[in-house]
Amino acid sequence: MNSTKRISTCILELTASFILCMQVTFPLFGAPDDIDISAANAVHTYTIQVNQPFNEQIAVLNAGGNVFWEFFNNPTGDTDANFTFMGLTVTLPAGSPGTAVSNGLTTSISGTPLTTGSFSFTITVTSENGVQSQNRQYDIIITQPMDLVLVFDRSGSMNGSTSAGVTRWDALKTAAGNFANMYQQLGRTNDRLSITYFETDLSPASACCNGFIPFVNNIGTTVSNDLNANAPGGWTAMGTGLKNAIGKLSDATKARSILLFTDGEQNQDPTVNQNGQGFSDASTIPGGNNPGGIKIATIGIGSPSPMYNTTLQNLAVNNRGSYNITADGTAFTFQQGNSSGDLTSGFSNQFVDMLDDFSPQLITTATTNVSQGSAPHTLLTFPLNQRVDKLLLEFAFDKNFESVQLVQLLTRILVQKNGASVMASVQPSWAGNFPNSLLLKIDFVHQVPGGPPVLDPSGNWTLQLADVAQFKITQCRVTVLADDHRLNYQLSYGNTIPRVDVPLKFTAHLDWLSFPITNATIEALVLRPGEDLGDLLAKNGLTVDVLTSQDAASPGVQKFDQLWATDQAFRNALALSENVVTLAHTSAGNYEGTFNGLTVAGLYKLIYRISGNHPDAGDYQRLKVENFYTTFNGVDLAASGISSQILNNQLVLQIRPVSTNGRFVGPAAGNAFSVDQPGVKITKVEDHQDGRYTLTFDGDINQSVKLSLLGQDVYTGVLADIGKGKGGGIIDKLQEWLESLGLPGWSLWILLLLLLILLWLLFRKKKP
């Protein structure tokens, strides 16, 4: 028995000695996020979801005794034992910092994140004797699955031709397929897609995507084929389409987005209200600008209609989205000074906007003429920062190709980093059977099967195209996108309803993993049209033969479409000029700037340019592109040639609205007139194409009303008096005030007579 005990004791002692020897000789290995005090530690990244509880423990490895824990840095700047940020609390072991604790204790990360975003913190662990000390950085990426509904206009006007000779519907097929393919290559496998079409109603529904489907392989082709199986026809029931999409987005645990495309004015109830917050049937759009609401991004085809542009713009800015406008759906957009733009670029811009809480980000884009010579054309050069997950390179051409031709075209593309080809790391894809776009993806996290090791993204990149004469390509537009979750920015132009002569207040915030960036260069490039759109259209002598077919546009829009298609001088007058505003850093990564150049009404393009160098990111560069519509600022009634008459017990009003800066408001604004009195209605508006309108009113015209144009007051007073010189001066205003009190208009003259008698008596009394 004693011998057995001695043998057992010996075995235990030998085992303990072996374990101690192993600890001294060989390092212990723990979880991937533990801190090894004996060696350098790579950055560790946690990717977690909003509203999902998270709990993780961080241990120390290879420490021979007690250790000190402390934060090297964190986004709150706290130096205590814990900090809380974005709903997560990071807590050092009890007694830390400042006290040596057992090396068996751990740091905890726990909580339920309530918002998307990213931040980082760094922990230092030091042995009690001070001999060993190591840092480790932890990046927290908080994301959220998203449901997205594409809402597409399938009305009769989508049969209209573009400047490239294809229909708007064909242009949409290409753009939508490219968009879905790009989304798939981002790798957000938990996101889902649905499609809603609208014309007079919602039928037929999407065959592939009336419900939600995941972003799986070949979804770009699936979407393109779905559009190919449909044909335009009917009226423009945009409100019906939007309401249907809102109804689909019922899962509030997910991020929810709508991308709305339309080419024309609403002409079917219920319509979307001008303010972009509800519908003509009194229902509202839930959420608005509140986090967790439905984000709405809009794309439209260029139009002079103030109501059309303002409604689409308000839909976006009042629901956390942005507005992109194109001229006719095909012409390339980034030739500065050219106001046109193709649908693919519009969808690319909105791809960035809809996912701006998660990535990707637009780095740069450019259009190059490649018709001259066979030598390599350098399309773009750009810097790329560290810690980017993926790089997406979209090559769009001014013609479509069969798939076999795209494979051949791929051999003419060269992608270089720091002067060396990286084509072995490129993964190509495209959408549909006859696309105009080739997408290249480089994954910096996952190795291509059988391919070279993953690349480090940071460096100087060059894109080239050579020997393309046989393909008969004239232009190539490249769009570069980075899947980056660490560089974050928020940009705004402040004034949600831009008006002539009202300043734009640009604001920006920039950070790296929630640490403010204070030394960036941020510019707002405002591309302003050369002429006032409404004034230019009103003064042009062309009168078009107005089409009255189903879903035909208003006369003013038809005039614009014909001039845009046939009159180079008209297009040149609307060419965009550059105006650069450099934003100044104010504090904590916040930047501000002001633009005072909204001198004309019309469609503006806004490009934000961000660049700089950061100690952890290296060189970086970003763009954000959107459009905004600037409307007139007030109506000068006295200058607007107003007159009226009574015909068949109805008031018929003639008006040629002139803005307060002396410009004609112009045609295509007929649906922007409104009255606030329920007993009075505008039953007919005739657009004469030169800025003149004939309005017919029905109801009690002896009531006091407010007549508005695009929400701006034109006249207040008795409607029957509108053509009698009222509404302009102080006498008119006083008379309107008395009438609003229920007194007759002539009572003003009695009051004025009494005032004169009183003044005469006062002066007579003072006379010696």
Side-chain angles (χ1 to χ4, degrees):
M1 195 66 179
N2 290 338
S3 63
T4 301
K5 286 183 178 180
R6 284 196 296 271
I7 292 172
S8 298
T9 301
C10 183
I11 291 173
L12 290 172
E13 290 175 348
L14 287 171
T15 301
S17 298
F18 176 76
I19 292 173
L20 181 62
C21 179
M22 288 291 290
Q23 282 185 313
V24 173
T25 309
F26 301 101
L28 294 179
F29 297 97
D33 56 348
D34 289 341
I35 300 174
D36 186 349
I37 200 172
S38 66
N41 295 269
V43 176
H44 184 80
T45 300
Y46 299 103
T47 301
I48 58 181
Q49 289 190 8
V50 166
N51 299 320
Q52 296 293 316
F54 182 77
N55 197 332
E56 190 67 31
Q57 304 296 316
I58 301 172
V60 61
L61 302 177
N62 301 314
N66 292 340
V67 295
F68 293 96
W69 293 77
E70 62 182 330
F71 291 117
F72 183 78
N73 64 19
N74 64 64
T76 68
D78 293 339
T79 58
D80 298 329
N82 63 74
F83 72 91
T84 300
F85 197 71
M86 291 187 177
L88 295 174
T89 299
V90 183
T91 305
L92 299 176
S96 299
T99 302
V101 298
S102 168
N103 61 25
L105 298 179
T106 61
T107 287
S108 67
I109 310 173
S110 61
T112 302
L114 303 177
T115 183
T116 58
S118 64
F119 69 93
S120 75
F121 62 91
T122 301
I123 293 175
T124 300
V125 178
T126 305
S127 62
E128 188 173 21
N129 61 13
V131 173
Q132 294 178 301
S133 182
Q134 291 293 338
N135 295 334
R136 189 160 200 187
Q137 179 178 324
Y138 296 88
D139 293 354
I140 310 289
I141 310 296
I142 306 171
T143 187
Q144 186 177 19
M146 187 167 79
D147 283 347
L148 166 66
V149 184
L150 301 177
V151 182
F152 290 150
D153 185 345
R154 193 179 51 196
S155 64
S157 57
M158 289 296 291
N159 279 315
S161 295
T162 67
S163 60
V166 301
T167 67
R168 292 174 173 179
W169 184 250
D170 285 335
L172 178 61
K173 292 179 197 176
T174 299
N178 292 342
F179 171 87
N181 179 52
M182 183 182 293
Y183 204 124
Q184 177 200 326
Q185 299 308 317
L186 196 60
R188 292 179 54 87
T189 56
N190 292 323
D191 289 6
R192 304 185 304 170
L193 170 72
S194 177
I195 297 177
T196 290
Y197 298 111
F198 66 86
E199 43 160 305
T200 306
D201 51 34
L202 300 172
S203 60
S206 167
C208 72
C209 319
N210 190 43
F212 285 100
I213 64 170
F215 281 90
V216 294
N217 289 339
N218 297 318
I219 192 172
T221 299
T222 298
V223 168
S224 182
N225 289 341
D226 194 62
L227 271 77
N228 201 50
N230 287 274
W235 302 91
T236 303
M238 188 174 81
T240 301
L242 185 59
K243 292 188 75 170
N244 175 266
I246 291 171
K248 291 181 179 182
L249 294 169
S250 59
D251 188 350
T253 65
K254 295 186 176 182
R256 297 172 292 170
S257 289
I258 291 171
L259 177 55
L260 170 69
F261 168 80
T262 184
D263 80 321
E265 299 158 298
Q266 304 177 81
N267 49 33
Q268 194 81 348
D269 289 330
T271 56
V272 180
N273 294 339
Q274 177 194 318
N275 62 14
Q277 298 173 332
F279 302 89
S280 59
D281 62 3
S283 59
T284 59
I285 298 173
N289 276 318
N290 298 318
I294 297 173
K295 174 180 280 191
I296 301 177
T298 57
I299 300 176
I301 285 183
S303 169
S305 168
M307 179 65 84
Y308 169 83
N309 286 290
T310 301
T311 301
L312 289 180
Q313 183 163 281
N314 284 339
L315 260 178
V317 299
N318 289 323
N319 295 282
R320 300 186 298 120
S322 67
Y323 177 37
N324 267 260
I325 191 76
T326 70
D328 69 356
T330 58
F332 284 136
T333 182
F334 270 89
Q335 301 288 353
Q336 292 179 359
N338 182 357
S339 61
S340 63
D342 73 328
L343 291 188
T344 295
S345 67
F347 275 80
S348 298
N349 295 335
Q350 297 298 33
F351 175 56
V352 172
D353 180 70
M354 283 186 306
L355 289 164
D356 65 356
D357 291 334
F358 316 106
S359 188
Q361 297 167 355
L362 178 62
I363 295 177
T364 188
T365 185
T367 300
T368 304
N369 186 335
V370 296
S371 61
Q372 302 298 320
S374 60
H377 298 275
T378 297
L379 306 176
L380 268 180
T381 61
F382 60 92
L384 187 60
N385 55 283
Q386 301 179 34
R387 314 294 303 283
V388 171
D389 289 349
K390 298 181 185 70
L391 183 66
L392 302 180
L393 308 171
E394 183 186 49
F395 294 79
F397 306 98
D398 56 348
K399 62 175 292 186
N400 295 64
F401 298 94
E402 295 180 354
S403 297
V404 64
Q405 292 176 298
L406 279 182
V407 174
Q408 297 172 344
L409 193 56
L410 178 61
T411 65
R412 309 299 202 270
I413 295 174
L414 177 62
V415 180
Q416 295 177 305
K417 178 198 161 186
N418 295 333
S421 173
V422 296
M423 292 300 295
S425 299
V426 164
Q427 301 173 65
S429 63
W430 56 84
N433 300 316
F434 198 54
N436 75 333
S437 178
L438 180 63
L439 184 67
L440 307 183
K441 178 179 73 174
I442 300 178
D443 193 326
F444 301 115
V445 178
H446 306 97
Q447 185 177 4
V448 177
V454 293
L455 294 170
D456 174 7
S458 62
N460 295 311
W461 292 72
T462 302
L463 309 180
Q464 291 184 324
L465 185 66
D467 296 326
V468 293
Q470 71 183 82
F471 298 99
K472 298 181 180 179
I473 299 169
T474 302
Q475 288 184 323
C476 175
R477 190 196 64 249
V478 180
T479 303
V480 181
L481 299 152
D483 183 17
D484 186 349
H485 301 270
R486 293 165 176 82
L487 182 66
N488 302 296
Y489 51 85
Q490 297 85 43
L491 305 164
S492 172
Y493 56 80
N495 186 0
T496 57
I497 307 177
R499 292 184 181 180
V500 170
D501 295 332
V502 176
L504 285 185
K505 302 287 187 180
F506 295 111
T507 61
H509 177 80
L510 184 63
D511 67 69
W512 172 264
L513 287 164
S514 293
F515 290 96
I517 296 176
T518 61
N519 62 345
T521 298
I522 302 181
E523 296 176 326
L525 176 62
V526 183
L527 298 179
R528 178 182 58 210
E531 294 286 349
D532 186 293
L533 175 56
D535 190 70
L536 180 69
L537 200 57
K539 293 177 178 177
N540 188 286
L542 175 70
T543 300
V544 301
D545 294 328
V546 177
L547 300 175
T548 58
S549 56
Q550 188 180 44
D551 201 46
S554 68
V557 173
Q558 292 187 42
K559 178 178 180 179
F560 169 84
D561 288 343
Q562 184 166 329
L563 285 169
W564 185 266
T566 62
D567 192 330
Q568 183 65 49
F570 180 80
R571 291 196 299 270
N572 290 343
L574 293 174
L576 302 175
S577 60
E578 295 187 13
N579 303 267
V580 179
V581 178
T582 300
L583 280 62
H585 182 258
T586 56
S587 64
N590 297 310
Y591 298 76
E592 294 181 356
T594 301
F595 178 61
N596 292 305
L598 299 183
T599 55
V600 296
L603 294 165
Y604 290 63
K605 183 178 288 293
L606 175 58
I607 305 173
Y608 295 98
R609 300 189 293 208
I610 303 171
S611 61
N613 179 275
H614 186 272
D616 295 327
D619 291 330
Y620 58 87
Q621 176 180 304
R622 295 293 185 271
L623 288 181
K624 181 181 178 181
V625 181
E626 59 185 306
N627 292 89
F628 64 87
Y629 176 73
T630 297
T631 187
F632 59 93
N633 188 9
V635 173
D636 183 347
L637 188 61
S640 297
I642 190 167
S643 64
S644 66
Q645 59 181 319
I646 306 298
L647 295 175
N648 300 321
N649 296 318
Q650 292 179 312
L651 179 74
V652 179
L653 174 69
Q654 297 276 349
I655 185 171
R656 194 182 192 191
V658 174
S659 64
T660 53
N661 68 340
R663 308 275 188 143
F664 288 117
V665 171
N671 57 359
F673 285 99
S674 63
V675 289
D676 68 341
Q677 176 56 254
V680 178
K681 292 185 178 180
I682 301 174
T683 58
K684 182 181 178 181
V685 179
E686 185 177 356
D687 182 346
H688 298 286
Q689 303 184 33
D690 61 356
R692 291 182 301 115
Y693 297 89
T694 301
L695 282 66
T696 302
F697 296 83
D698 199 7
D700 185 359
I701 63 173
N702 291 309
Q703 293 190 65
S704 182
V705 302
K706 179 183 290 185
L707 176 65
S708 300
L709 179 58
L710 203 68
Q712 301 185 52
D713 293 351
V714 175
Y715 169 83
T716 300
V718 174
L719 183 58
D721 295 333
I722 190 171
K724 299 176 181 178
K726 290 200 169 192
I730 185 63
I731 298 296
D732 301 323
K733 297 298 183 184
L734 288 171
Q735 193 166 357
E736 291 161 11
W737 173 68
L738 290 171
E739 290 170 346
S740 70
L741 297 176
L743 297 172
W746 50 261
S747 62
L748 172 64
W749 303 108
I750 294 178
L751 290 176
L752 289 174
L753 180 59
L754 290 174
L755 179 60
L756 289 172
I757 293 172
L758 179 61
L759 291 172
W760 178 76
L761 289 173
L762 287 172
F763 279 109
R764 188 170 177 228
K765 185 177 180 180
K766 291 181 179 181
K767 189 173 181 181

